[in-house]
């Protein structure tokens, strides 16, 4: 398998794990994460969409990132162990 093919497969696996982990988040945390990291909205825009304060958005994004980090670490460990 070529280097580009290997990288594409790895990216696809990572994206698949990310989607599974996002689905496990509480809805509002997932929405906040998507608005920031995928849609590129700033804090003011996120607050308007979710009807929250800036402080609340920062807390939600922190919690979402930490939950995703933990979930992704577990999934990568499981995948590496099964290979």
């Amino acid at each position: 398998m070529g280097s580009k093919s290997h990288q594409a497969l790895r990216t696809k696996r990572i994206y698949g794990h990310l989607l599974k982990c996002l689905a496990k988040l509480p809805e509002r945390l997932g929405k906040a994460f998507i608005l920031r990291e995928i849609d590129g909205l700033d804090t003011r825009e996120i607050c308007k969409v979710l009807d929250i304060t800036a402080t609340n958005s920062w807390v939600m994004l922190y919690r979402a990132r930490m939950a995703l980090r933990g979930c992704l670490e577990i999934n990568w460990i499981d995948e590496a162990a099964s290979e």
Side-chain angles (χ1 to χ4, degrees), residues 1-72:
M1 184 180 291
S3 179
K4 287 185 179 185
S5 297
H6 181 70
Q7 184 62 34
L9 179 60
R10 184 172 183 204
T11 300
K12 186 176 178 180
R13 284 182 177 169
I14 292 168
Y15 186 69
H17 287 309
L18 177 62
L19 290 178
K20 288 178 188 176
C21 291
L22 272 170
K24 294 178 183 180
L25 289 178
E27 185 178 349
R28 288 175 57 84
L29 290 184
K31 179 89 171 166
F33 182 85
I34 290 169
L35 289 172
R36 166 74 82 191
E37 304 302 338
I38 296 174
D39 296 342
L41 272 61
D42 64 24
T43 300
R44 181 182 48 77
E45 294 168 313
I46 293 169
C47 291
K48 188 174 183 178
V49 170
L50 297 178
D51 192 28
I52 57 175
T53 65
T55 302
N56 195 6
S57 73
W58 299 327
V59 170
M60 290 173 70
L61 287 167
Y62 174 80
R63 289 179 180 169
R65 289 178 182 127
M66 292 301 102
L68 288 170
R69 178 181 176 182
C71 180
L72 289 169

